[in-house]
Amino acid sequence: MAFVPHLLDRPRSSLQLEPVPLNDGGQGVVTRLIGPQDVVYKEYLKSAGTVNGQALADLVEFGAGLPREDRDRLFSSCAWPIARVVEGNRAVGFLMPEVPDDFHDLIAGRPRLVELQFLLFPQKRAWQELRLPDLMGRIQLVRRFAELVDFLHGHQYVIGDISARNLLWSAQEPYKVHILDCDGFRRLGAEPVLKQAHSPDWEDPLEPSTGPDLDTDRYKLAVLIGRVLARNAYVRPGGELPLLAGLPDDLAGRVRSMFARAAGPAGTRPSAREWVRVIEGREWIAVSRPPVRPRPGPDAGRPPRQRSSQPAPSRITERTPFPAPPPVAERQWITVSPPAPARRPVSEPRPAQPVPQTRTTRPSTPVPVPEAVRTSARGLGGKVVASATYAEQRAEIPAKITDEQIALLLDGLEQAGGVLPVKQAARLIAEPEDRTRLLIGEAKKLLGVDGISVLMLKDGDKMLDLNLALLGEQFLEDEE
């Protein structure tokens, strides 16, 4: 497709960026712009693949063309592209609003994004400072999430990846919600910016071969609502829904009924608007809808996703809002951004958060490891198994793999740089290869703090892959 310039394009050479990125990994690197704007720049990595520049321009155009009230809502609740960044005749990234301060809090002693994942588990020692909502607060939050999905679906946008890491919530009342990775969205019937991604344990089992659509979003919204109201990261439509005690009986019955419907085929799943009405206590008559499937149209071309986390404010500076978008008829560059959120002091830059699913510097072939790996209390495996977090995981999650086998696997993976053939892993723990794959699945559950996987099988279940950085953050930070 030929490159078509857009009114709001910014040349890459015109950007003044802070020297240290806020986050890198996934599909791009996120860096704050120097100046009085609450704006950050995401630059796509070469490994992300070919960027659909027209789809990205369409996202920018959508936000700029909304009525003021809707535009303010979009920019305050979504990390939405507000300008494409170009280099020559290609799009290399985009500008977006910085995540408002409302969605940050002190977690494990440092400012971090308040992700949905913290609502899905009993409170852990590592994030005991975070104030969790009571049951009525949880009801308000799921309603806010449903309202946001309804708003996006009303404009025919498919979200695609709804998960525990790209949805944020404010820890203070009145509760608000925010969604990341909006360059991963696409308009119904159009192409995404990049291939749409998925988060493990949130996949729609009935997703069509053509990819995510509005019905897959409806399935994932039901997963979100069920998991928040059950405080359980593993419930799915079609299974039991053990809701938290204290939920009003009439609401609990309606939620269970809607949750069960979400397991059905396309056209029968509850819409976001139905969820809003049910949570509000209003009656809704369920009517089967014909499946909504993509259809070709003149506006073919729109967005995908990244799995890099969003930035966070880092210092005390007075910032002013970016001006509103210019009228489409004008043909000069005018900076554009959402209204600036109120900022609060933060004493030091927000550290980048590791990304569990994607690694950009991993060698293509594994480093050889010895046939036998000795483990000790001083090795990585011994430290993890001795940690308080591991003890909590072991107490909560039944797993058939032994602590000694966990330690051996982790020590072997550490020596191999994080990538190990399953054949070698089987020799390390003295088990047959087929049983080793089963035990790796057990280890994945045990090491998956708050449902975030640090251990994965890849290449047709032939290779074992460990995110060493995230493992250290999850298990060892409080031990130092």
Side-chain angles (χ1 to χ4, degrees), residues 199-408:
S199 293
D201 301 320
W202 288 75
E203 307 96 328
D204 175 7
L206 300 181
E207 179 179 307
S209 59
T210 51
D213 60 12
L214 297 180
D215 264 302
T216 62
D217 281 359
R218 291 175 184 130
Y219 175 87
K220 294 178 183 183
L221 175 61
V223 172
L224 181 161
I225 292 171
R227 290 180 178 184
V228 171
L229 295 182
R231 199 178 61 192
N232 185 319
Y234 305 105
V235 296
R236 281 178 173 269
E240 184 182 355
L241 182 60
L243 295 169
L244 288 169
L247 202 67
D249 289 343
D250 57 340
L251 178 59
R254 293 195 301 268
V255 167
R256 286 195 175 97
S257 175
M258 296 273 282
F259 189 75
R261 279 180 54 204
T268 68
R269 296 169 172 178
S271 69
R273 185 162 300 177
E274 288 176 74
W275 275 111
V276 172
R277 293 176 68 94
V278 160
I279 294 166
E280 288 176 343
R282 289 186 281 165
E283 291 297 322
W284 183 276
I285 301 173
V287 178
S288 295
R289 301 177 304 279
V292 180
R293 295 297 180 215
R295 57 184 184 276
D299 58 343
R302 317 240 174 199
R305 77 164 262 113
Q306 81 192 64
R307 186 43 274 148
S308 56
S309 298
Q310 273 290 330
S314 64
R315 61 187 187 285
I316 307 172
T317 54
E318 198 64 37
R319 300 193 177 206
T320 57
F322 241 24
V328 174
E330 297 185 20
R331 290 301 171 195
Q332 71 274 12
W333 162 251
I334 299 178
T335 30
V336 57
S337 173
R343 307 193 62 79
R344 65 168 183 244
V346 180
S347 59
E348 58 184 16
R350 184 176 311 279
Q353 298 184 46
V355 181
Q357 273 77 38
T358 307
R359 191 169 284 101
T360 59
T361 57
R362 180 58 47 79
S364 58
T365 56
V367 179
V369 298
E371 287 295 310
V373 175
R374 286 178 170 266
T375 186
S376 71
R378 292 190 298 273
L380 176 65
K383 290 177 181 177
V384 168
V385 168
S387 70
T389 302
Y390 181 86
E392 289 180 3
Q393 291 289 102
R394 178 60 89 175
E396 292 177 8
I397 301 171
K400 296 176 183 177
I401 189 168
T402 67
D403 292 347
E404 181 183 6
Q405 288 173 322
I406 288 278
L408 285 166

Side-chain angles (χ1 to χ4, degrees), residues 416-432:
V419 181
L420 189 68
V422 171
K423 285 185 178 180
Q424 286 183 287
R427 288 196 286 270
L428 287 178
I429 62 175
E431 293 280 2

Side-chain angles (χ1 to χ4, degrees), residues 21-24 110 350-354 473:
L22 292 160
N23 182 33
D24 57 3
R110 70 181 192 219
R350 184 176 311 279
Q353 298 184 46
E473 179 183 283

Side-chain angles (χ1 to χ4, degrees), residues 435-455:
R435 177 167 170 75
T436 296
R437 289 190 176 89
L438 296 176
L439 291 175
I440 288 170
E442 298 289 293
K444 179 181 175 181
K445 290 191 296 184
L446 204 54
L447 298 176
V449 177
D450 297 338
I452 302 168
S453 298
V454 298
L455 191 66

Side-chain angles (χ1 to χ4, degrees), residues 176-205:
K176 293 179 280 190
V177 298
H178 195 84
I179 188 165
L180 308 178
D181 302 332
C182 298
D183 59 319
F185 299 178
R186 69 172 181 86
R187 204 156 224 170
L188 194 66
E191 294 297 320
V193 177
L194 294 168
K195 184 179 178 181
Q196 289 185 293
H198 298 277
S199 293
D201 301 320
W202 288 75
E203 307 96 328
D204 175 7

Side-chain angles (χ1 to χ4, degrees), residues 18 38 60 126 144 326:
E18 292 189 352
D38 293 305
V60 172
R144 295 285 177 264

